[in-house]
Amino acid sequence: MSRLNYGRHLPAFILLFLAKESIHGSMLLNKMNESMPYIKADGPAIYRALSELEKLDAVEACWDTANPGAARKCYTITEQGCRLLKEYKDDIEERKRNLEYFLSEFDRLDF
């Protein structure tokens, strides 16, 4: 699995949202902020991650010119992106088990 530099799981969340719908970057950030109030990403981080995901062929971009105003780059998950999303799911499940172990053991400590 590729390790991207802006939040260990930011690309996973981006792919998760793109698996639901094709969307442009600023709307993606808005939806992420609405759904996940503790997200540690800003616009530049989202666009850097999208650019890296494009290089990995995990997302495709096209220009949306159907709406009035400036054209917007719209992103869609690819088959490669779906495979990468599954890898992220497996990684997150493993990390979750480790974190649950930590919390369980911590609760046993006498502080």
Side-chain angles (χ1 to χ4, degrees):
M1 176 181 345
S2 172
R3 299 282 183 205
L4 304 177
N5 296 327
Y6 1 84
R8 177 168 293 158
H9 292 100
L10 179 58
F13 285 109
I14 289 172
L15 292 173
L16 181 67
F17 278 82
L18 292 178
K20 297 176 187 180
E21 65 180 318
S22 296
I23 195 168
H24 60 83
S26 61
M27 184 60 72
L28 173 63
L29 178 59
N30 290 342
K31 286 184 178 268
M32 290 176 78
N33 284 330
E34 289 171 9
S35 302
M36 303 178 321
Y38 301 107
I39 186 79
K40 302 282 193 245
D42 57 9
I46 296 289
Y47 284 105
R48 283 191 304 270
L50 283 166
S51 177
E52 287 298 318
L53 288 167
E54 268 189 281
K55 290 176 188 173
L56 295 171
D57 295 323
V59 299
E60 291 178 336
C62 65
W63 289 100
D64 177 9
T65 57
N67 296 311
R72 293 184 169 193
K73 205 172 186 181
C74 189
Y75 297 89
T76 303
I77 192 169
T78 64
E79 286 184 37
Q80 174 63 22
C82 291
R83 286 190 290 274
L84 184 58
L85 182 57
K86 171 73 169 86
E87 289 180 30
Y88 276 119
K89 176 194 173 284
D90 294 343
D91 179 62
I92 289 169
E93 285 176 339
E94 182 178 301
R95 289 174 189 277
K96 180 183 173 195
R97 285 190 296 274
N98 288 336
L99 292 171
E100 287 171 345
Y101 169 79
F102 174 89
L103 293 172
S104 172
E105 292 300 309
F106 182 85
D107 288 344
R108 291 183 183 162
L109 297 174
D110 188 26
F111 281 114

